[in-house]
Amino acid sequence: MPTYRGGRHEHGQNYLIDSHTITTLIGAVAESRGPIIEIGPGRGALTHRLAALGRPLTAVEIDPRNAAALRRELTAPTGGPPVEIVTADFLRWHLPADRCVIVGNLPYHLTTAMLRHILPIPHWQEAVLLVQWEVARRRAGVGGASMMTAQWWPWIDFTLLGRVPRSAFRPMPSVDGGMLRMTRRAEPLLAENDRRAYRGFVHAVFTGRGRGLPEILSRIVEQRARQAVKGWLARERLGASTLPKDLSAEQWAGLYKLVAGCGWSPGGAVSRSRGGRFRGGRSRGGGRSRGGGRR
């Protein structure tokens, strides 16, 4: 059963029609290596060009009519690498357990859900995605990183490739798009077995109480770590008004290593309720009384 809903038209798709944008996106994919997985090919504006790269291609399309049309157009014997058109909801589809590159023009209202689906999957090496402009900026850390970006930064690099005018789509959306590239780091900033605890730490900081990073950290780290954190903040020249969204990937990794070395764990926050759970607020997107980040 299709689940892409909420748009002004069926499945919430805005088809890409701008040749310059298509060429730029295909160029970014061409710099990568390995089989390609395309999310939501629609009517095939990208699919035909991706197939021409001469690499195995799997296109996952939720609309059975679009899938059938692409299957007729692209799966005829050509002597080149195989092209497979899968009729499925990408949010319920499991990527093959092989190295691959992901590309797609994502429905704006499903961007966050799709990123949450993609990011934990270990097999892909690079993803080139068309998303809403503000989402692309936040994920790339332009103007401040989101909590989602910070939670994955030690393992994945986020790069903003450019802005795409809303006139590049039909039907025309109300806002511009942006090209976002996500690349798995060849040398991660943290070990894989740190991922769960690190993501818990980032969540605790982003949702912690306080007007700035020093105050937030003083509430979520144990007494013995506070002096070490204070020294780290001074060395990094981070003042009282610094917010979690202002940290770089390297600073997040360094801060986590410091507090983890002092015994911090996801269940070890200082500020607790009677039931023993961390008493942090919700992320408020940069407000002065909270962690100041965006999801």
Side-chain angles (χ1 to χ4, degrees), residues 145-147 150 202-208 244-245 252 283 290-294:
S146 67
M147 178 163 63
V202 173
H203 182 272
V205 174
F206 264 89
T207 61
K245 70 183 182 68
W252 273 113
S283 176
R290 300 284 183 174
R294 298 177 185 173

Side-chain angles (χ1 to χ4, degrees), residues 110-222:
L110 287 175
T111 297
T112 298
M114 287 191 171
L115 288 176
R116 286 175 176 164
H117 181 63
I118 293 168
L119 285 168
I121 299 172
H123 316 305
W124 62 270
Q125 298 301 307
E126 188 160 324
V128 182
L129 305 172
L130 263 179
V131 299
Q132 188 173 337
W133 171 241
E134 279 304 316
V135 172
R137 290 181 75 254
R138 292 202 306 272
R139 296 295 171 256
V142 177
S146 67
M147 178 163 63
M148 179 185 287
T149 295
Q151 286 182 318
W152 289 100
W153 244 346
W155 301 275
I156 296 171
D157 184 45
F158 299 81
T159 306
L160 182 64
L161 296 181
R163 189 166 187 159
V164 179
R166 63 192 188 101
S167 59
F169 304 90
R170 290 292 183 275
M172 190 184 301
S174 59
V175 294
D176 288 348
M179 276 185 280
L180 175 70
R181 174 154 50 197
M182 305 190 302
T183 306
R184 199 171 300 279
R185 295 182 187 272
E187 297 183 6
L189 304 179
L190 293 173
E192 190 66 25
N193 58 12
D194 282 321
R195 182 189 292 183
R196 183 174 180 180
Y198 168 78
R199 293 188 69 201
F201 173 68
V202 173
H203 182 272
V205 174
F206 264 89
T207 61
R209 297 179 182 275
R211 289 186 171 84
L213 188 63
E215 185 177 349
I216 295 167
L217 290 171
S218 71
R219 293 173 179 266
I220 68 171
V221 301
E222 303 291 347

Side-chain angles (χ1 to χ4, degrees), residues 3-9 11-12 109:
T3 60
Y4 293 10
R5 300 188 182 96
R8 292 179 299 164
H9 46 290
H11 304 318
H109 67 291

Side-chain angles (χ1 to χ4, degrees), residues 39-137:
I39 305 170
R43 295 169 182 166
L46 292 174
T47 317
H48 288 270
R49 297 281 299 274
L50 291 170
L53 293 177
R55 291 151 59 178
L57 170 64
T58 302
V60 184
E61 171 59 43
I62 194 170
D63 188 326
R65 294 166 298 184
N66 285 339
L70 289 172
R71 202 171 286 118
R72 289 192 299 268
E73 297 167 4
L74 289 165
T75 57
T78 61
V83 176
E84 181 182 9
I85 309 300
V86 177
T87 305
D89 177 351
F90 180 75
L91 291 174
R92 298 180 179 180
W93 187 72
H94 296 286
L95 267 71
D98 299 305
R99 182 187 180 101
C100 65
V101 176
I102 299 174
V103 59
N105 172 23
L106 306 189
Y108 286 175
H109 67 291
L110 287 175
T111 297
T112 298
M114 287 191 171
L115 288 176
R116 286 175 176 164
H117 181 63
I118 293 168
L119 285 168
I121 299 172
H123 316 305
W124 62 270
Q125 298 301 307
E126 188 160 324
V128 182
L129 305 172
L130 263 179
V131 299
Q132 188 173 337
W133 171 241
E134 279 304 316
V135 172
R137 290 181 75 254

